[in-house]
Amino acid sequence: VVPADPAFAHLRTEQTWPVNNPEVSSPYPPGAQLYFLAATVAGESARAMKLAALVCDVLLALVVWRSLVATGANPGWMLAYAWNPLVSLEVARHGHVDVAGALLVALAAFALVRGRPLASTVALALSIAVKPVSLVLLPLLWRRISRWHAAAGGAVLLAVSVPFWNGHRPPLGSVPEVIDRFRFNAPVFSAAASLAGPAAATG
């Protein structure tokens, strides 16, 4: 829904209103929406969101450590992630959803190392449902998974997305509006957009 819609004013709290860009619906995909729902079961607050992000962060560090051990690498390299100040800033302080997507990517990599392609495919599909940028990792599964594994991952992605479909519109939220209205990496983006338009520049 659009946050500024008066029909949903009863959902606003002191912590959630005012919000930036209230005339634009959420750009977060179905997996992120389900993560937000799970994170706020006990209470809808910024603290609950940050606590959920912190739990994901701890689990991510654990998965990275186990992956290093499984590949015979020095497990001490896990500290390069755990002690990164940017992680603390974006996860524990800002509560960004990216950590949930990163956790699922790490689980996908760990499962692949352990010879479990089905689990790896499902974890990557869920990561795409949280942050579509994970799509760029699909080539890494090439020839490492079967068609059945790929079909299972697609089925999981579809199952997560179905509850969010609105008629014939896929659950993209305000992503098309974000592409048209918001800018990032300005020098490169602007040059590409002037030649081919914002959608092509985003691609």
Side-chain angles (χ1 to χ4, degrees):
V1 301
V2 174
D5 188 340
F8 298 97
H10 63 282
L11 296 177
R12 300 171 189 167
T13 68
E14 290 182 1
Q15 292 195 42
T16 62
W17 193 263
V19 64
N20 59 329
N21 306 302
E23 74 288 354
V24 179
S25 61
S26 173
Y28 293 104
Q33 299 289 352
L34 293 173
Y35 165 78
F36 297 148
L37 179 63
T40 56
V41 165
E44 295 185 4
S45 67
R47 180 171 292 180
M49 293 293 293
K50 293 178 181 182
L51 181 60
L54 185 60
V55 168
C56 287
D57 190 27
V58 172
L59 292 174
L60 176 52
L62 181 62
V63 172
V64 169
W65 171 64
R66 293 295 300 147
S67 296
L68 289 168
V69 171
T71 57
N74 183 347
W77 280 110
M78 184 268 292
L79 297 177
Y81 170 79
W83 286 354
N84 186 331
L86 290 177
V87 173
S88 299
L89 180 67
E90 298 302 322
V91 174
R93 184 176 178 186
H94 293 153
H96 281 183
V97 69
D98 301 72
V99 71
L103 171 60
L104 290 162
V105 167
L107 285 170
F110 182 53
L112 208 56
V113 166
R114 296 294 300 271
R116 297 177 180 172
L118 177 59
S120 177
T121 307
V122 169
L124 188 58
L126 290 172
S127 175
I128 292 168
V130 172
K131 291 289 282 191
V133 71
S134 302
L135 280 166
V136 300
L137 299 176
L138 284 178
L140 296 179
L141 296 180
W142 184 255
R143 295 186 177 178
R144 297 183 182 186
I145 64 171
S146 71
R147 293 179 181 176
W148 295 110
H149 297 143
V156 167
L157 189 57
L158 183 62
V160 170
S161 301
V162 163
F164 295 88
W165 279 72
N166 183 12
H168 298 291
R169 295 178 58 191
L172 296 176
S174 62
V175 169
E177 292 178 76
V178 170
I179 291 172
D180 286 338
R181 295 178 49 187
F182 299 96
R183 299 293 173 257
F184 51 92
N185 193 5
V188 176
F189 186 93
S190 297
S194 66
L195 295 173
T202 301

